[in-house]
Amino acid sequence: MLEFAGKTAVITGGGSGIGRGMAIAFAREGMNVVVADVELDAAEAVAQEVKALDARSLAVQCDVAGLESVRSLAGRATAEFGSVEVLCNNAGVSIGRRGMYATHEDWQWVMGVNLWGVIHGTEAFLPGMLASGNDCHIVNTSSMNGIVPSARSALYSATKYGVLGLSETLANELAGTKVGISILCPAAVTTRIMESERNRPAGLLAPEPPPVPHAVSSTFDLSPALDPVSVGELVLLGIRRNQLHIFTDQKVRALIEARHQRMLSEFDVLAEWEQSRASATN
Ligand SMILES: NC(=O)c1ccc[n+]([C@@H]2O[C@H](COP(=O)([O-])OP(=O)(O)OC[C@H]3O[C@@H](n4cnc5c(N)ncnc54)[C@H](O)[C@@H]3O)[C@@H](O)[C@H]2O)c1
């Protein structure tokens, strides 16, 4: 996609942080912005910011963990603006419990928002995008922890690796269509992500506190946290260039290299085994 003015973007988790940053960056390009969030007040506040930039906007309450809620979002966005050209499946939560101590409720909550949320967005919007014949683009928010493991949350990385697998494969499936796809892989960004528990549904509260309290990881030496509007600008660039992966921090390059070097080194063990089997049979 090269032209943005007058096109419509739907952003889940648009009421805060990276979603708000995308809303502002898109509004500056003259896009109509549908701000969807489980927190209606937050969505409305961002919609007001978008309108103050002379762009059209609609705030919609939406829980991405529920398919009907996301289908209703698609209906409201289309009724208001006629079509949707950009979908950002961005709503996400982080959890303060290590995977080894996770409760079933923890898994349900984090998988429901971070992975099912992206699946629901795909189900509700992709068929209409394909049928429209318009240039369209989907941006799925994963994380650097969707490529390299998070230091302390297997739950979070399980969902974000899932978003990566879903999106990379969908990119293969969508080749030759007019729908592009990008995976946003942020590192540290100044948002309210560490206050994610504010939106955990009462029915999915953890029945007991974790035996080992969560501590913020110091394993990765990342750059200072980026501001969300800059991330929004990187997303626009990523859509323009049809990037498959959108990164936000140069320091993540070394982490990805190290992960893949380690993986590749495991082939040495396979080669040794193949050699010993060949000598045994000779
Ligand atoms: N901030 C970072 O450093 C960072 C790094 C990597 C990835 N991410 C990812 O970026 C995305 C945005 O997070 P953020 O950092 O801006 O955090 P944030 O908490 O500031 O914003 C997340 C938004 O999602 C909304 N939300 C939560 N549950 C929802 C639900 N069930 N349905 C709809 N909306 C819901 C929240 O109300 C909030 O407005 C997430 O997917 C997160 O995993 C963030």
Side-chain angles (χ1 to χ4, degrees):
M1 252 183 91
L2 297 172
E3 297 299 325
F4 294 100
K7 305 280 173 62
T8 299
V10 172
I11 305 169
T12 68
S16 174
I18 292 172
R20 174 183 164 272
M22 291 194 270
I24 288 170
F26 292 178
R28 286 178 182 161
E29 291 290 316
M31 295 186 84
N32 312 316
V33 184
V34 180
V35 183
D37 204 287
V38 75
E39 291 181 23
L40 182 58
D41 290 357
E44 282 171 342
V46 173
Q48 285 308 322
E49 286 189 86
V50 168
K51 286 177 186 163
L53 293 166
D54 288 332
R56 293 173 66 199
S57 191
L58 173 73
V60 179
Q61 184 165 32
C62 171
D63 178 356
V64 298
L67 177 59
E68 284 318 312
S69 187
V70 184
R71 282 200 170 131
S72 158
L73 166 66
R76 296 225 12 224
T78 311
E80 182 79 12
F81 295 113
S83 59
V84 172
E85 284 77 27
V86 173
L87 167 68
C88 300
N89 286 312
N90 167 76
V93 292
S94 94
I95 182 155
R97 195 190 290 251
R98 299 179 186 195
M100 61 195 284
Y101 301 123
T103 65
H104 192 65
E105 289 82 359
D106 291 333
W107 282 111
Q108 283 181 307
W109 176 47
V110 180
M111 294 290 281
V113 181
N114 293 8
L115 184 54
W116 276 105
V118 176
I119 297 168
H120 292 153
T122 310
E123 286 185 270
F125 287 88
L126 181 57
M129 286 179 159
L130 287 167
S132 73
N134 297 335
D135 282 328
C136 293
H137 206 95
I138 298 176
V139 180
N140 290 334
T141 302
S142 175
S143 168
M144 61 173 272
N145 291 137
I147 306 177
V148 296
S150 135
R152 295 216 174 83
S153 179
L155 292 96
Y156 187 75
S157 274
T159 64
K160 295 299 185 178
Y161 275 62
V163 171
L164 193 81
L166 183 162
S167 311
E168 287 185 345
T169 310
L170 209 50
N172 292 339
E173 295 181 13
L174 291 171
T177 74
K178 295 183 92 175
V179 182
I181 187 157
S182 298
I183 309 145
L184 175 62
C185 304
V189 185
T190 326
T191 71
R192 295 185 67 197
I193 191 81
M194 297 312 283
E195 301 161 49
S196 293
E197 293 277 342
R198 72 193 188 275
N199 286 314
R200 194 199 277 233
L204 294 180
L205 288 176
E208 64 205 25
V212 175
H214 182 72
V216 175
S217 163
S218 57
T219 306
F220 305 128
D221 176 24
L222 297 174
S223 304
L226 197 60
D227 69 283
V229 177
S230 297
V231 177
E233 287 167 8
L234 285 168
V235 168
L236 273 174
L237 181 65
I239 298 174
R240 269 206 183 93
R241 299 271 182 94
N242 198 21
Q243 277 179 266
L244 182 55
H245 306 96
I246 302 172
F247 294 107
T248 67
D249 187 339
Q250 287 289 354
K251 286 191 175 171
V252 172
R253 174 193 285 262
L255 298 172
I256 293 176
E257 273 171 358
R259 173 182 190 260
H260 288 108
Q261 280 309 322
R262 183 184 162 172
M263 266 185 177
L264 292 173
S265 73
E266 311 295 6
F267 285 94
D268 298 343
V269 178
L270 176 62
E272 274 172 38
W273 177 81
E274 285 168 342
Q275 220 165 24
S276 66
R277 192 170 69 163
S279 9
T281 50
N282 286 338

